[in-house]
Amino acid sequence: MASRVIPVDPFDLVIFGGTGDLARRKILPSLYRRYRDGQMPEDARVIGCARAELDDRSYRELVRAALEEFVAKRKRDPEMIDRFLQKISYIRLDATGTVGWKELAKSVRKGVIRAFYFSVGPGLFAALAQHLHQYKITDAEARIVVEKPFGHDLKSARELNSVLAQSFDERHIYRIDHYLGKETVQNLMAVRFGNILFEPLWNAQYVDHIQITVAETVGVAGRGGYYDKAGAMRDMVQNHMMQLLCLIAMEPPSVFDSDAVRDEKLKVIRALDPVAPEDLVRGQYRREGDIPSYQEDVGNPDSTTESFVAMEVHVSNWRWTGTPFYLRTGKRLRARESEIAIMFKDPPHSIFGRQEARSGNVLVIRLQPNEGMVLNVTIKEPGPGGMRLIEVPLDMSFAEALGEEGADIPDAYERLIMDVIRGNQTLFMRGDEVEAAWAWTDPIINGWEERGDLPLPYDPFSSGPEDALMLMHRKGRRWREISDDL
Ligand code: NAP
């Protein structure tokens, strides 16, 4: 299967924060890979901006080093890298001052797409937006890209939205949630809406419950300053897990276009019930042997921030009432794994006798590692000796099923940046979606703060606190094992 790459139109992409971690680890390597695959056109240009005293030459060396570090060796072609670097330049610019803005205004070209990536802390968004406006650097088609965290709560998200709205229409603003750029996440929509097989079963009548797990083995060392103010709820649930939940729970949009999809997601968020305290478990990893505790990692011995959260969530609408969604995410867990498991109900009657009754089918959508899907089906155990039933996976690892092309699944950032250039907002969060997600999250956080609830300790590389298991056990269910196998 030859992969089909359609080049995007010529563009000027300005990266504010062009020397930062995100630019070096994700944005620049993604651009290089799109260039290498023929999608970024020859007359595209990338302008890095930051306050550091660099010129084009030294910035290109910084970019070269980033590609060395963050692009797989087999994709590094020295000649391609040289050609890619020729498209890169640097402007020394201060977001909050006057330095660099006139030069930037002169540098961006007329007649090409202009995109501005705000790869800086949110405290600088207002200054960037105002300066872009003041120096007339944007045009009617300009795109601005902003990163998470989009606000700390509803109030700050509203403030950010209104700051951006002073200079840009919603159709110009691309709020990145990189989970939405993952191939499997988009495949979720293809599977749901491209097949007749699943959609009739996709409701409370046939689905017992849904599990969404985002587990990491890493702790928070290195990101402690940010993380300790956020916690798992703000860092993962309000954005990534909410987006996954929406894609599973939403009604079929009439067309696959940005507003139709985002309208349906918004309806899901608005249908979420408040989460009762007994449906919520927060945890924090403790020290074990040489492995430091969360509090040691963040350097705050009194921290009560959660590094783990699990909860039972209800979507109160016609399709889902009666089918809970279980969300679980944490650091320092048993394995690195992100997956969605649709746990179907048992068949209504077992013709094979009671002891042979099996749990229902499971559809597992694996986001990482090993992107792919598995459908567990019940079959007869081979051999003589009566009708014994076993569950076997109908497995579709994308890398295996799609051969070379599957092994080469583009990074989420590659797809998202190209979507920005194409002007396709489907995989980006709209302002009202973000605000609705905070409106649901805020009372949960305020609730535990008001009650003074403390996170429960859990062992590193475990499945989280025991109470998280109880969330399921009390209703006769259990979590799937956290494991890196599909
Ligand atoms: P970072 O490593 O601290 O980089 C910040 C960048 O902004 C640097 O290039 C810095 O260069 C520049 N900068 C700072 N103040 C400036 C100013 N006044 N004017 C112009 N440039 C300025 O941060 P990062 O990790 O790349 O993160 C960037 C944004 O992405 C943040 O909002 C972060 O929350 C978000 N994000 C990051 C990641 C990640 O993996 N890193 C993941 C998700 C979201 P100078 O100091 O030389 O100006």
Side-chain angles (χ1 to χ4, degrees):
M1 239 186 300
S3 113
R4 217 157 38 95
V5 174
I6 302 168
V8 295
D9 290 335
F11 62 85
D12 280 357
L13 172 65
V14 177
I15 309 174
F16 296 114
T19 57
D21 179 67
L22 184 70
R24 289 185 306 104
R25 249 172 359 98
K26 289 290 178 188
I27 305 171
L28 291 157
S30 295
L31 285 165
Y32 164 72
R33 286 190 290 257
R34 290 297 88 216
Y35 176 66
R36 174 186 170 272
D37 287 0
Q39 196 163 26
M40 174 172 154
E42 286 297 341
D43 49 358
R45 289 190 343 191
V46 178
I47 304 169
C49 296
R51 291 166 306 175
E53 294 271 4
L54 299 174
D55 55 16
D56 288 350
R57 201 182 52 78
S58 48
Y59 185 60
R60 285 179 187 150
E61 285 318 305
L62 178 148
V63 177
R64 189 192 294 280
L67 301 185
E68 285 286 325
E69 192 174 350
F70 298 112
V71 176
K73 193 157 189 268
R74 67 191 166 85
K75 294 197 177 177
R76 290 200 309 259
D77 173 339
E79 207 178 297
M80 275 281 182
I81 289 181
D82 283 342
R83 275 171 39 204
F84 175 72
L85 292 177
Q86 290 313 308
K87 304 178 191 321
I88 299 210
S89 57
Y90 181 78
I91 294 177
R92 195 175 149 250
L93 175 144
D94 185 352
T96 53
T98 52
V99 174
W101 286 99
K102 281 192 182 141
E103 199 185 341
L104 181 63
K106 270 191 250 143
S107 291
V108 288
R109 294 172 294 170
K110 287 208 168 67
V112 299
I113 292 160
R114 299 176 185 186
F116 301 90
Y117 205 126
F118 289 15
S119 184
V120 294
L124 295 178
F125 288 2
L128 289 177
Q130 279 153 11
H131 280 119
L132 283 171
H133 200 67
Q134 178 189 338
Y135 286 87
K136 298 189 172 48
I137 301 174
T138 51
D139 59 11
E141 294 306 314
R143 287 117 216 224
I144 63 159
V145 185
V146 295
E147 271 288 344
K148 86 161 199 184
F150 199 84
H152 187 72
D153 52 15
L154 178 59
K155 183 168 173 280
S156 52
R158 277 194 178 138
E159 279 163 12
L160 270 183
N161 273 338
S162 79
V163 155
L164 296 178
Q166 283 164 19
S167 308
F168 300 99
D169 285 349
E170 183 63 35
R171 69 187 171 87
H172 294 128
I173 304 171
Y174 291 71
R175 294 177 194 77
I176 288 222
D177 182 329
H178 71 274
Y179 264 56
L180 290 180
K182 287 181 182 289
E183 191 71 11
T184 332
V185 173
Q186 291 163 71
N187 235 316
L188 185 60
M189 287 189 272
V191 165
R192 272 195 69 188
F193 305 127
N195 295 288
I196 191 78
L197 206 60
F198 296 106
E199 196 49 28
L201 305 180
W202 211 265
N203 55 52
Q205 194 180 347
Y206 295 104
V207 178
D208 178 72
H209 72 281
I210 288 160
Q211 301 186 11
I212 306 179
T213 299
V214 177
E216 295 175 282
T217 50
V218 292
V220 295
R223 279 179 79 214
Y226 155 73
Y227 195 92
D228 202 37
K229 289 197 206 85
M233 189 74 184
R234 291 189 172 96
D235 187 52
M236 275 289 171
V237 178
Q238 184 274 342
N239 38 56
H240 306 318
M241 297 186 90
M242 175 75 78
Q243 289 294 322
L244 299 180
L245 185 152
C246 285
L247 293 178
I248 296 167
M250 72 183 188
E251 294 302 313
S254 56
V255 283
F256 188 58
D257 97 1
S258 55
D259 272 330
V261 171
R262 297 186 301 176
D263 286 347
E264 294 306 333
K265 289 198 296 176
L266 182 61
K267 286 184 206 161
V268 174
I269 304 176
R270 290 188 172 154
L272 290 173
D273 284 353
V275 175
E278 61 273 20
D279 290 341
L280 174 78
V281 175
R282 293 166 70 231
Q284 192 187 74
Y285 58 85
R286 61 177 150 218
R287 171 176 270 274
E288 190 179 70
D290 295 344
I291 301 168
S293 67
Y294 172 86
Q295 292 176 336
E296 292 167 294
D297 273 348
V298 299
N300 176 5
D302 301 320
S303 174
T304 58
T305 302
E306 77 286 355
S307 59
F308 174 96
V309 65
M311 61 179 91
E312 181 178 315
V313 173
H314 292 268
V315 182
S316 273
N317 64 14
W318 197 280
R319 186 187 284 261
W320 292 116
T321 293
T323 295
F325 286 67
Y326 291 93
L327 313 185
R328 161 177 73 159
T329 182
K331 304 268 182 201
R332 277 273 186 265
L333 294 179
R334 189 185 300 279
R336 174 173 171 262
E337 168 208 278
S338 300
E339 69 165 37
I340 300 162
I342 317 290
M343 315 294 284
F344 290 95
K345 289 185 175 170
D346 294 347
H349 167 68
S350 168
I351 65 168
F352 306 110
R354 216 150 166 57
Q355 66 279 33
E356 290 299 354
R358 289 272 152 188
S359 58
N361 304 107
V362 181
L363 175 67
V364 181
I365 299 144
R366 174 58 75 94
L367 311 181
Q368 66 187 21
N370 312 323
E371 294 192 49
M373 292 194 195
V374 169
L375 178 64
N376 279 355
V377 291
T378 301
I379 62 161
K380 176 188 169 299
E381 189 175 1
M387 191 59 123
R388 285 194 306 272
L389 304 183
I390 53 168
E391 279 162 38
V392 294
L394 284 181
D395 185 341
M396 195 182 93
S397 148
F398 294 156
E400 279 170 32
L402 304 176
E404 255 184 38
E405 213 179 317
D408 240 8
I409 295 172
D411 182 89
Y413 276 89
E414 294 177 47
R415 172 176 316 274
L416 293 174
I417 295 170
M418 290 299 109
D419 276 359
V420 170
I421 305 299
R422 277 191 286 253
N424 183 348
Q425 290 184 304
T426 311
L427 301 177
F428 297 84
M429 291 178 296
R430 210 167 53 191
D432 51 2
E433 251 185 282
V434 177
E435 289 186 14
W438 280 120
W440 176 77
T441 315
D442 273 4
I444 303 174
I445 296 174
N446 295 343
W448 77 56
E449 283 176 355
E450 279 159 22
R451 292 190 301 274
D453 291 352
L454 297 176
L456 304 168
Y458 62 92
D459 290 334
F461 307 114
S462 67
S463 302
E466 283 286 310
D467 285 41
L469 306 180
M470 288 311 296
L471 260 188
M472 289 280 203
H473 288 176
R474 64 188 178 150
K475 306 234 168 134
R477 299 182 173 114
R478 64 190 167 85
W479 291 104
R480 286 168 48 79
E481 275 290 304
I482 296 180
S483 115
D484 37 25
D485 294 333
L486 183 60

